[in-house]
Amino acid sequence: MSAQQMLKVFVTRRIPQEGMKILQNAGMCNLSVWDSDEPVPRAELLKGVAGAHGLLCLLSDKIDAEVLDAAGPNLKVISTFSVGCDHLAIEEIKKQGIRVGYTPDVLTDATAELTVALLLATARRLPEGVEEVKNGGWSTWKPLWLCGYGLSGSTVGVIGLGRIGLAIARRLKPFGVKRLLYTGRQPKPQAQEVDGEYVPLDTLVRESDFVVVSCSLTPDTQGLCDKTFFSKMKKTSIFINTSRGVVVNQEDLFEALSSGQIAAAGLDVTTPEPLPTNHPLLTLKNCVVLPHIGSATYSTRGVMSELTANNLLAGLTGSEMPSELKL
């Protein structure tokens, strides 16, 4: 392809080499990359996308009407290095006939593993234990020191038994979970493999020892976990969220944790991200907060990078995408 025919592609962040090599070797892309691990500033995004045929972006990049206007009529495809598409102005993108690629499925296992790790770390108070070792709090053996809650014989409730929710349930069952409850828009046939019981949300919240949120963000789930929600939970229950930060009202969660309404919480997603270091939740020993690392394994991020690149190339050439968002 001649220099005049090369298609401009703007990449909003440094991504794993697996994807960059695919784009570099395609022989059709005039690549412009914001070569940093930090998000592209808004002004640089608007400048970089001007005249682009393709845009490769991340979850932290707000792709709205202003960005689309700055890109101009050449823009054929937006490929996002994420499963979530909350950062994309979908209606505006649809109106302009721009195709969207995303990365479902490939991060399911990594996110499910992290969710189980977070649940165990929260329930068994691992961060507190590490801190006690470091600060000299570990003296002698005490019968009730750093006691937490176990999964054996427990009831686990999963809100949203989609790909990730089911993968979490599969991993939790071998711990000796007695009942696995789930809720969502409708019963899922695949729940049978984990002996899942489809119940109303109210039942799940009241009866579960562990409440795991893995739902997608919709108008119905935004702010779902609020004061009323937490007031129905057992005082010994553990709350885990690896879905979206805005599903939880964090002020209400702080109140539930600090008042002893619930035992503990583990979060891999917050509002905003990053969470300010002076946020009240970070003052609590019974709240474990991770920096949104659900998919953070080398292999998963490499596969995400490959898929994002291949989605972009398919959009540029008008061929079928490996993973296209249906608009």
Side-chain angles (χ1 to χ4, degrees), residues 109-235:
D109 288 338
T111 305
E113 287 172 7
L114 188 280
T115 304
V116 173
L118 177 58
L119 184 151
L120 291 169
T122 304
R124 294 298 302 273
R125 303 171 65 179
L126 300 193
E128 283 182 80
V130 170
E131 190 56 36
E132 291 294 274
V133 172
K134 289 180 176 179
N135 67 21
W138 182 17
S139 54
T140 184
W141 187 87
K142 303 165 194 169
L144 294 177
W145 187 57
L146 287 176
C147 281
Y149 298 91
L151 278 163
S152 182
S154 70
T155 297
V156 172
V158 179
I159 299 175
L161 201 74
R163 286 184 297 263
I164 294 173
L166 184 61
I168 293 166
R170 285 195 195 108
R171 285 160 173 78
L172 289 176
K173 283 294 281 186
F175 282 93
V177 170
K178 188 176 180 183
R179 293 177 71 204
L180 197 137
L181 313 179
Y182 75 99
T183 189
R185 285 189 289 269
Q186 59 198 27
K188 298 284 182 79
Q190 60 268 35
Q192 292 176 2
E193 70 172 274
V194 290
D195 301 319
E197 301 174 41
Y198 182 67
V199 296
L201 178 64
D202 198 62
T203 302
L204 183 147
V205 174
R206 290 184 191 280
E207 297 185 9
S208 296
D209 299 300
F210 298 87
V211 175
V212 181
V213 184
S214 62
C215 57
S216 55
L217 178 61
T218 68
D220 290 336
T221 60
Q222 185 161 350
L224 175 72
C225 306
D226 58 9
K227 187 173 185 176
T228 303
F229 179 101
F230 295 122
S231 71
K232 295 172 184 173
M233 289 176 65
K234 299 178 183 180
K235 290 193 183 300

Side-chain angles (χ1 to χ4, degrees), residues 244-255:
R244 288 285 180 271
V246 292
V247 170
V248 178
N249 181 311
Q250 290 176 173
E251 288 72 27
D252 292 348
L253 175 60
F254 175 80
E255 181 60 33

Side-chain angles (χ1 to χ4, degrees), residues 76 87 96 105 132 137 146 196 243 259 294:
K76 294 179 176 181
H87 56 307
Q96 296 193 25
D105 301 323
E132 291 294 274
L146 287 176
S243 63
S259 68

